[in-house]
């Protein structure tokens, strides 16, 4: 099975080609690029390059995988819309994986609790608490003080993800940090995507990104509507 995965939910873009063959060790080739606001320009060329390096055309892929959120509103849409376009054009099935679950799977062997972390900007973080691979919380949008309260019963918690050091610097207590997702997130996505597809099949065509908070545009629209309603009362 040939799988292509990508993640553009943060400022770091991840792309990976993976080949799974029965009786053989899985083969992976991944690219990690800090492209900030250039995901839309760099994603497709990076996908084509990693496929070309492995003598595979896009139409010869068997599965497409990307993260579903939370993360950057624009970033999530870039990866998902790109893969959806390829899926619709070629018939290649597509699955999505919750971003924080992918982060947790990058270090699933940790024996204590782990907190997957994404910088949500505005001095807040998208987080989810796990233990032995199982969720203890849903995806959350918290500030550092709220995170400290969440972690108070779990002093041995490991902070996961590329933004974990940023969160650690804002907490009053010391927590260990693991940034391994910066290196192997897209590899893990291929593995998780394969497992999900084999168990549940492809995502429904109308599957969209998962947002923990409303976008600035939605908030502005809601405020405008509320203001108009007050004017007419």
């Amino acid at each position: 099975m040939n799988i292509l995965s990508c993640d553009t939910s943060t400022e770091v873009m991840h792309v990976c080609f993976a080949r799974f063959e029965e009786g053989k060790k899985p083969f992976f080739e991944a690219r990690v690029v800090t492209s900030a606001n250039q995901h839309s320009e760099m994603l497709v060329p990076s996908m084509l390059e990693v496929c070309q390096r492995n003598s595979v055309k896009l139409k010869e892929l068997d599965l497409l995988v990307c993260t579903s959120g939370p993360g950057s509103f624009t970033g999530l849409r870039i990866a998902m819309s790109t893969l959806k376009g390829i899926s619709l054009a070629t018939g290649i099935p597509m699955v999505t994986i919750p971003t924080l679950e992918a982060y947790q799977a990058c270090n699933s062997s940790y024996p204590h609790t782990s907190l997957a972390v994404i910088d949500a900007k505005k001095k807040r973080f998208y987080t989810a608490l796990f233990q032995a691979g199982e969720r203890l919380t849903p995806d959350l949008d918290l500030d550092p003080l709220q995170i400290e309260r969440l972690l108070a019963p779990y002093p041995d918690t490991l902070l996961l993800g590329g933004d974990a050091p940023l969160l650690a610097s804002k907490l009053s207590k010391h927590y260990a940090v693991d940034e391994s997702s910066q290196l192997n997130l897209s590899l893990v996505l291929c593995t998780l995507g394969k497992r999900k597809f084999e168990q549940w099949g492809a995502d429904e065509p109308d599957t969209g990104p998962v947002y923990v908070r409303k976008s600035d545009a939605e908030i502005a629209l809601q405020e405008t509507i509320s203001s108009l309603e007050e004017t007419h009362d």
Side-chain angles (χ1 to χ4, degrees), residues 128-146:
L129 191 64
F130 299 85
Q131 187 166 41
E134 299 296 326
R135 277 184 178 269
L136 297 182
T137 70
D139 293 342
L140 303 168
D141 175 12
L142 305 176
D143 63 35
L145 181 58
Q146 291 171 317

Side-chain angles (χ1 to χ4, degrees), residues 16-92:
C16 181
F17 168 79
R19 178 179 290 116
F20 294 86
E21 295 181 274
E22 185 138 2
K24 295 183 179 180
K25 185 177 179 180
F27 169 82
F28 299 92
E29 180 172 339
R31 293 196 65 192
V32 180
V33 182
T34 303
S35 57
N37 295 324
Q38 298 180 330
H39 289 336
S40 58
E41 292 85 2
M42 299 185 66
L43 179 57
V44 171
S46 296
M47 292 165 56
L48 291 172
E49 180 181 342
V50 75
C51 286
Q52 185 178 30
R53 284 175 55 85
N54 292 280
S55 302
V56 173
K57 297 179 181 179
L58 281 180
K59 64 182 181 180
E60 296 173 333
L61 294 168
D62 300 301
L63 183 65
L64 303 169
V65 186
C66 70
T67 49
S68 61
S72 159
F73 289 79
T74 302
L76 289 169
R77 289 194 292 267
I78 289 171
M80 192 169 288
S81 61
T82 299
L83 292 196
K84 276 193 173 186
I86 296 172
S87 178
L88 289 171
T90 62
I92 300 169

